[in-house]
Amino acid sequence: MSRSKLCLIAVLIVVSAGAATACTTTTGGTASPSPTGSAVTGTTSADPEVPKVDAAPLDVSKYVGDTCAIVPKDVLSSLRYTDAGEFKAQGDTVFTQAGPSCLWKLRGEGIGLSVALGTGSRDKGAGGLAGIYAGYRQKKFIRFLEPAPEVEGYPAVYFDAQDERSMGSCGLGVGIADDLTFDVYAQGYQGQDDSCAAATQVASSVIKTLKGA
């Protein structure tokens, strides 16, 4: 999983929030923040196209300081991830403004996945699925968006700079409150079914973790 690709995913949120910074094409793994930026607070209620979160909102505060712990080890093992994840705390850089994240890689295979919490976007009044829809409408960086099946009763969308699911990359944003999402990005898989299945499996496990199941 290349740094340049993850940088682009990070920029999706930053540009939508009006604070873009240029990315480099340096290779090497790093975690990706959540692409959940929006310059407008309350877009969800104002825009009928943005799915509302009808299920009980979920609290991610326990995992802000250790996002890698949000995915159970048995789920990671079933996907062949045995190395520890790389945690990135929320910060002030283009990679960390949107919220904390964790990246896992299969060494030597070019396969990886990341989970990011959109707490930074929420704190700026720019969180939730509304942010993804706002970024998509700008068509600057998010040029692909498609509704996805609900994940454990929570609304979800596929999104990316372009639709690369057939090439084995799948970005999945899940709304767990009207002002908060978490995002899963799977890259380097065999195709759409493979990549999106991995992203969905991880997303499902995140929700179960947050519910305490």
Side-chain angles (χ1 to χ4, degrees):
M1 183 178 285
S2 69
R3 183 186 180 97
S4 59
K5 176 61 176 178
L6 292 173
C7 187
L8 176 59
I9 296 301
V11 166
L12 300 183
I13 162 63
V14 179
V15 169
S16 296
T21 302
C23 289
T24 67
T25 56
T26 305
T27 58
T30 190
S32 165
S34 163
T36 52
S38 169
V40 181
T41 304
T43 304
T44 302
S45 59
D47 189 340
E49 290 189 28
V50 179
K52 284 194 64 65
V53 178
D54 293 324
L58 298 177
D59 180 13
V60 299
S61 58
K62 179 179 178 181
Y63 299 96
V64 167
D66 184 10
T67 307
C68 296
I70 204 168
V71 182
K73 290 183 177 179
D74 63 328
V75 173
L76 292 168
S77 299
S78 71
L79 294 169
R80 301 193 295 125
Y81 293 98
T82 55
D83 292 345
E86 180 182 350
F87 171 69
K88 291 289 185 183
Q90 181 178 325
D92 297 326
T93 72
V94 67
F95 294 106
T96 60
Q97 288 181 48
S101 59
C102 187
L103 169 71
W104 295 267
K105 294 179 289 185
L106 295 181
R107 294 183 183 276
E109 296 189 39
I111 296 174
L113 64 84
S114 64
V115 172
L117 308 178
T119 52
S121 301
R122 178 195 60 192
D123 295 344
K124 293 180 177 68
L129 289 175
I132 298 177
Y133 275 78
Y136 173 68
R137 291 194 177 101
Q138 291 177 11
K139 292 293 195 299
K140 292 181 179 179
F141 290 91
I142 301 178
R143 299 188 182 95
F144 163 67
L145 184 149
E146 182 180 294
E150 288 188 346
V151 180
E152 302 294 332
Y154 289 82
V157 295
Y158 298 119
F159 72 105
D160 206 335
Q162 59 185 354
D163 187 0
E164 296 186 347
R165 292 175 296 175
S166 64
M167 295 180 279
S169 295
C170 186
L172 180 67
V174 183
I176 51 175
D178 283 336
D179 62 351
L180 181 64
T181 66
F182 71 87
D183 305 328
V184 182
Y185 192 79
Q187 182 175 341
Y189 286 81
Q190 292 300 309
Q192 177 171 331
D193 291 345
D194 193 24
S195 61
C196 290
T200 300
Q201 181 179 347
V202 169
S204 176
S205 76
V206 168
I207 290 176
K208 290 176 181 177
T209 296
L210 293 175
K211 285 182 173 180

